[in-house]
Amino acid sequence: MNNKTCDNSFFHQSLADTNALVLVPHQDDEINLMRDLLVSLQNCGATVYVAYTTNGDYSVPANVRYKEAIESLRLLGVPKEQIIFLGYGDSFNTAPHQHIFYADSEPALSNAGCRETYGAEGIEELVYQLKGHHHGYLKANYIADIELLLQHINPAIIFGIDYDTHPDHKMLSLGLDTALRRVQANNPSFMPILYKGFAYVTAFHSYHDFYDSLNLESIKEPRESEIYHYFGDRDVYGSSIYQWSDRVRFPVNESNRGPFLWKSPLFKAIKAHTSQSFGFKASAVMNSDIVFWQRRTDSITYDAKLEVSSRADTKDRLVDFKLFDISDINSLEPVLDSLAWKSSDDDTQPSIQLTWATRQDIRQIVLYSSIHFHEPSRKCSVYIDDQQAGTGIVPPNGQPLVLTLDRMYHSDQLCIVFDGPIGLAELEVYATVVQHNSLRPFIKIMKDDNFIYDYYIDDQELSLDISLYTYMVDASDTILSVDGENSIMQHGDRYIVHFGPKANKVIVRATLNGSEACYDQVVIHRVSKQALAMRKGLQQLDKYANLFFLRLRRKWYHLFQKQ
C-alpha cells in the first residue's frame, strides 16, 4: 500500500502532444461544463484551448466578460494565448431580436447592437486573426467559424456544450455536430473523442448540495420537479437519447473535494465571473465527479456508398452526425424535430445497403432511431457477405441500438433489413468496440454511487459498503484490497470493507488485474461523533461566511465596477 493519501491513475497519465478543445457559448460555461477537469488535463500535459462562440454581451459589455474569463481561466492554469473568442452576439430566449439560428441571408442584430463579429481586450475574434476580416452574424458563418476552429486547433479531444434550454447552447450543440461532420468530409483522419455535457441541468441549475454532507456528493440525476427549466421526458436529457447509466464520469482534483469552499481554487475561478454572480452557484457546480456523454466520431459509414429501399432523397440523414433538429430555438421547453431517414409506409421490409471500395473491419453497429419513432419492437437483421451476422431490436424515441458482433468481420458490403417501417436518425459502423482515446482507462471507488476520496464516517461504524465505477475497463477485471487488520469481501458488484478494532485511517485500493498502473486509492477516516460535529460546524461557518462576502462582492460590482 502507498502512504495514507488518496490518489488515482487518471491524474498521472501522459497527455503530452494532445490538444484538447473546450467549446462553450458564454464566459462561465467553461466551468459549468468542465469544473476542474481543465486543471487535470493540463497537469497531465495536454494543451487545453477554451473557445467561446459569443462575447457574452447580452447585458454586460464584452470587455467585462473577456476580463472575467481570462482571469477565471488564469486561476485554472489556462494562459491567455489559449483562449479563443469567435465574437458572435449573446442572445436569450426572450431576446427582442431574431436569433442567428434564423439568419440565412440578413445578418442578425445582437442585443449589443452588432451585426458582425468583434473582439475585445486587445483580442481579435478567430476569423479576424486567421483571415483578416469580420464575419456577419449569419448562421452559415457561425458554423464555418466552428469549422475554422476545429481545423486550426486539430483537437484530439473535444468537450462541447449540449442542448440546454438557452438558445445559444442549442445553437452551439447543433452547430458543432454539423461543423465536425464537414471537417471530417474533407479530412477523414479527423476523429476526435467527443464529450458533450450540460451546463444547466447538471451544473448551473442543479442541486445545491455541496454543504449537504461532509463527504462531497456526485452530480445527481435531474428530476423534473426539482430542477429549474428541466422538462423531464420532454427534454433532451430526459428523452431516451441520453441514459444516466451511460454517462462518462471523471474524478476531481484534491484541492476541490471539499468540505470547504474557501480553500478551493475552483471556487476562486467561479467567483471571477462577478458580473454573473456565479459564486452563488458554486454549491451546485462543485461535486465529486464531472459528467459527460461520449459520442464516437470514427464511423466507417462516411466512406461507404449508401443505398436504401425507399425515400432515397433523405438517406444522407443517416450519415450527417446529427440526431435531431429544431425549428424553435427560443422555446424554453425543447421542441425537437426529427432529422431522420423514414422508410415509406408501403415498404414492408425496409433495408439499408452499405458498400465500400475496399474491404473493411466490421465489429460494431449503432442505430439511432428517430426522436419521433415510437414503435417499441422493430427488429433488424444484419447481413455481411450474405450471411446473418447479428440481430437486434431498435429502441424507440431516439435511443440507440448498440449491436456488437460476435467476431470481427472483414467485408466490403453490409446490409441491414428491418421487419417493418423504420425511422432512423443515424447509422454508425465501427471497426472496434471502443474508439481509440488519448485518455487512459481508470477506476473509481464509490459509496452510494458517489465518487469518494477522503471519506469521513463515525468511528462506531464497523463496515462500509462500496462499489466501483470503471471507464474503458471491465469491473470484473479489478482487484480491491485494504491495509492493516481490515478486510474486504465481495458481494456481486459490491464490496464490504470490515474495519479492524483500532482502525482510524483505512486505505482501500482498487487496481486493474495485471496493470498496477490503473488504480484508485481512497482513505476512510473513522472519527468520533464530536469530530464530525466540529467539521460540520466549520462547514456551516464556511457556507454563511461565503454568502456574506459574495453579497458584498455583488454589491461592490454593481456600485463601482459595472461598465
Side-chain angles (χ1 to χ4, degrees):
M1 288 285 182
N2 289 354
N3 58 7
K4 291 184 180 292
T5 58
C6 298
D7 201 5
N8 191 289
S9 57
F10 177 81
F11 301 112
H12 303 287
Q13 61 188 307
S14 175
L15 294 174
D17 303 319
T18 299
N19 286 350
L21 172 64
V22 178
L23 185 54
V24 293
H26 307 115
Q27 297 72 22
D28 73 1
D29 285 325
E30 76 285 354
I31 292 179
N32 283 322
L33 181 68
M34 298 292 289
R35 277 82 160 185
D36 72 354
L37 188 56
L38 287 164
V39 177
S40 300
L41 295 171
Q42 292 175 100
N43 287 345
C44 293
T47 302
V48 176
Y49 296 87
V50 178
Y52 303 96
T53 55
T54 82
N55 283 336
D57 55 0
Y58 187 80
S59 59
V60 177
N63 68 297
V64 174
R65 301 301 298 273
Y66 275 45
K67 286 179 182 177
E68 291 177 347
I70 292 166
E71 173 60 14
S72 179
L73 288 170
R74 182 192 68 79
L75 293 167
L76 296 175
V78 181
K80 186 176 180 179
E81 296 73 29
Q82 290 162 215
I83 305 173
I84 299 169
F85 300 89
L86 299 195
Y88 287 87
D90 185 6
S91 188
F92 196 62
N93 302 80
T94 55
H97 306 292
Q98 177 179 262
H99 196 275
I100 190 175
F101 179 79
Y102 302 107
D104 293 325
S105 56
E106 180 70 21
L109 177 66
S110 75
N111 206 55
C114 300
R115 291 188 183 273
E116 67 177 16
T117 58
Y118 69 99
E121 287 302 298
I123 304 175
E124 297 291 353
E125 76 276 25
L126 180 69
V127 69
Y128 193 88
Q129 288 184 29
L130 298 183
K131 296 195 172 184
H133 61 79
H134 305 290
H135 253 166
Y137 286 171
L138 295 172
K139 182 178 183 179
N141 288 343
Y142 179 99
I143 295 173
D145 284 357
I146 297 178
E147 290 182 60
L148 182 65
L149 174 68
L150 297 178
Q151 293 163 344
H152 178 59
I153 301 300
N154 191 29
I157 311 171
I158 299 173
F159 298 90
I161 212 75
D162 216 315
Y163 195 89
D164 289 305
T165 55
H166 195 296
D168 293 342
H169 294 226
K170 299 173 187 177
M171 179 76 180
L172 175 50
S173 181
L174 296 174
L176 174 56
D177 289 351
T178 300
L180 194 152
R181 181 68 195 98
R182 289 180 182 176
V183 173
Q184 282 190 319
N186 295 315
N187 179 12
S189 64
F190 182 68
M191 294 182 287
I193 295 293
L194 175 62
Y195 299 100
K196 279 194 172 184
F198 297 97
Y200 289 167
V201 297
T202 58
F204 195 78
H205 291 320
S206 188
Y207 303 92
H208 286 263
D209 54 6
F210 181 86
Y211 292 109
D212 287 356
S213 171
L214 287 174
N215 299 301
L216 192 60
E217 298 179 349
S218 290
I219 296 171
K220 295 184 178 71
E221 182 176 8
R223 303 293 180 189
E224 183 174 359
S225 61
E226 301 168 350
I227 299 296
Y228 181 69
H229 284 171
Y230 174 59
F231 299 95
D233 60 6
R234 305 180 308 285
D235 216 312
V236 170
Y237 165 70
S239 69
S240 56
I241 292 175
Y242 292 116
Q243 300 294 306
W244 191 245
S245 59
D246 293 336
R247 71 197 187 282
V248 177
R249 309 170 66 181
F250 294 108
V252 301
N253 282 279
E254 180 179 6
S255 56
N256 296 309
R257 295 171 185 166
F260 309 113
L261 279 182
W262 69 271
K263 297 177 65 175
S264 164
L266 181 59
F267 182 48
K268 293 180 175 66
I270 289 172
K271 289 190 296 181
H273 292 283
T274 309
S275 69
Q276 307 305 296
S277 298
F278 195 20
F280 291 97
K281 295 291 186 177
S283 59
V285 171
M286 296 184 65
N287 295 96
S288 67
D289 64 350
I290 307 161
V291 169
F292 297 90
W293 279 262
Q294 185 175 345
R295 182 87 187 274
R296 294 185 68 166
T297 62
D298 58 331
S299 174
I300 60 175
T301 55
Y302 307 137
D303 302 321
K305 178 184 177 182
L306 177 64
E307 298 174 281
V308 294
S309 56
S310 59
R311 292 184 173 169
D313 58 320
T314 58
K315 68 179 182 179
D316 288 344
R317 295 176 180 178
L318 290 167
V319 289
D320 63 1
F321 200 71
K322 294 172 68 175
L323 301 179
F324 57 86
D325 207 346
I326 54 170
S327 52
D328 185 357
I329 201 165
N330 292 312
S331 172
L332 277 175
E333 182 171 330
V335 181
L336 306 181
D337 297 336
S338 175
L339 187 68
W341 168 70
K342 185 179 182 299
S343 64
S344 62
D345 293 339
D346 59 355
D347 188 357
T348 58
Q349 199 173 46
S351 64
I352 302 170
Q353 177 80 34
L354 294 172
T355 306
W356 290 272
T358 59
R359 297 173 74 84
Q360 305 287 317
D361 290 337
I362 301 172
R363 188 69 173 86
Q364 189 178 80
I365 299 163
V366 179
L367 297 168
Y368 286 90
S369 65
S370 165
I371 195 71
H372 294 152
F373 179 72
H374 304 307
E375 172 61 49
S377 58
R378 179 65 70 234
K379 181 180 178 181
C380 72
S381 300
V382 176
Y383 296 90
I384 299 175
D385 293 333
D386 297 324
Q387 300 293 317
Q388 189 175 87
T391 62
I393 301 297
V394 180
N397 307 324
Q399 187 173 343
L401 165 66
V402 180
L403 185 60
T404 301
L405 305 180
D406 59 356
R407 63 179 177 86
M408 178 72 76
Y409 287 82
H410 193 63
S411 178
D412 59 0
Q413 289 190 344
L414 181 149
C415 182
I416 305 174
V417 180
F418 303 88
D419 68 354
I422 186 71
L424 288 180
E426 199 72 11
L427 166 61
E428 300 170 346
V429 179
Y430 301 110
T432 59
V433 175
V434 178
Q435 183 176 357
H436 173 73
N437 196 334
S438 300
L439 297 177
R440 306 310 305 155
F442 66 90
I443 308 164
K444 191 71 199 78
I445 296 171
M446 302 187 296
K447 167 63 179 170
D448 298 331
D449 204 41
N450 295 304
F451 280 14
I452 65 173
Y453 305 91
D454 283 289
Y455 192 79
Y456 286 81
I457 63 171
D458 189 330
D459 60 8
Q460 299 303 303
E461 297 288 341
L462 301 179
S463 63
L464 188 71
D465 182 1
I466 60 175
S467 57
L468 288 178
Y469 170 82
T470 60
Y471 181 55
M472 295 191 292
V473 294
D474 196 317
S476 63
D477 292 332
T478 58
I479 301 172
L480 270 76
S481 58
V482 293
D483 69 337
E485 298 179 359
N486 311 288
S487 63
I488 188 166
M489 296 181 63
Q490 184 172 0
H491 297 275
D493 61 353
R494 309 193 72 80
Y495 301 83
I496 308 295
V497 178
H498 295 279
F499 304 119
K502 297 182 180 180
N504 52 22
K505 288 186 178 180
V506 180
I507 297 177
V508 183
R509 186 176 177 88
T511 57
L512 182 63
N513 191 13
S515 176
E516 286 287 326
C518 182
Y519 64 87
D520 183 42
Q521 182 168 293
V522 304
V523 180
I524 301 168
H525 301 263
R526 300 177 72 229
V527 300
S528 67
K529 285 183 172 64
Q530 293 81 2
L532 289 174
M534 180 175 293
R535 286 179 66 86
K536 189 64 179 177
L538 291 172
Q539 188 187 49
Q540 292 303 302
L541 179 62
D542 177 81
K543 174 181 179 179
Y544 292 109
N546 283 326
L547 283 173
F548 174 76
F549 287 110
L550 285 170
R551 289 182 181 122
L552 281 182
R553 187 185 184 98
R554 181 170 60 185
K555 177 64 83 173
W556 177 267
Y557 169 78
H558 285 287
L559 286 176
F560 302 109
Q561 292 183 298
K562 187 175 182 181
Q563 55 182 328

